[in-house]
Amino acid sequence: SDDAPPLLWCLGDLELLKRSSVALVGARNASARGQRLARALAKGLGAEGQLVVSGLARGIDAAAHDAALPTGTIAVVAGGVDVIYPKENMKLYGQLVAPGMILSEQTIGKQPQARHYPKRNRLLTALARAVVVVEATVKSGSLLTARDAAEQGREVMAVPGHPFDGRAAGCNQL
């Protein structure tokens, strides 16, 4: 593609890139229900032989990666692969990097910046055959990720939520 990154940086198991994968994305300020659902989806996908791809953010991403550790997961990050962000995911990063993979198009040492997230999201969706949005507000990055996935010809799915919970409004809109 014309917007393909010229170079990718990775830490971890390159063999994971050969596996079929599904991306799980969603709210950083996820509800307990959303996090439980992300964990259940990640475990179920792993049990079916699917690799879980997500963005290593707090909330839905962290829950999905954590549940997928035994079966395989790739974290696509907005900064350098050696930059742990957010810091609260330091333990998860350490658990994920050896059996899994951290992937980025940003150079080593690069701190994540807002402008890096759209590129991260396009790379994340390019790796997956489908994207599941677990929780998302109407104006969220998760919905932009869903749009990227659709433009790449990926299947996009959304978990419906309670109509009064703003964290579900974007999923309900999808």
Side-chain angles (χ1 to χ4, degrees), residues 71-157:
T71 54
T73 186
I74 294 177
V76 183
V77 296
V81 295
D82 60 330
V83 176
I84 301 169
Y85 183 84
K87 292 293 184 196
E88 67 196 57
N89 285 344
M90 186 173 294
K91 181 180 175 190
L92 179 59
Y93 176 97
Q95 293 171 318
L96 191 152
V97 75
M101 179 190 288
I102 310 287
L103 186 68
S104 179
E105 66 180 277
Q106 300 304 323
T107 59
I108 299 290
K110 186 78 165 183
Q111 294 297 314
Q113 297 176 7
R115 70 176 190 267
H116 299 151
Y117 284 91
K119 288 181 176 185
R120 177 207 65 175
N121 295 341
R122 276 197 321 276
L123 180 56
L124 189 153
T125 56
L127 291 173
R129 65 183 188 91
V131 174
V132 180
V133 183
V134 179
E135 273 187 343
T137 61
V138 173
K139 294 185 177 187
S140 69
S142 298
L143 290 191
L144 296 175
T145 302
R147 186 192 68 206
D148 287 341
E151 288 173 358
Q152 293 169 342
R154 305 302 191 251
E155 189 171 355
V156 177
M157 294 165 269

Side-chain angles (χ1 to χ4, degrees), residues 19-36:
R19 291 183 48 196
S20 178
S21 62
V22 174
L24 296 177
V25 299
R28 288 184 305 273
N29 65 335
S31 67
R33 176 190 165 274
Q35 290 180 57
R36 279 194 314 271

Side-chain angles (χ1 to χ4, degrees), residues 38-50:
R39 281 187 179 90
L41 287 168
K43 283 182 183 176
L45 287 165
E48 293 298 320
Q50 295 296 310

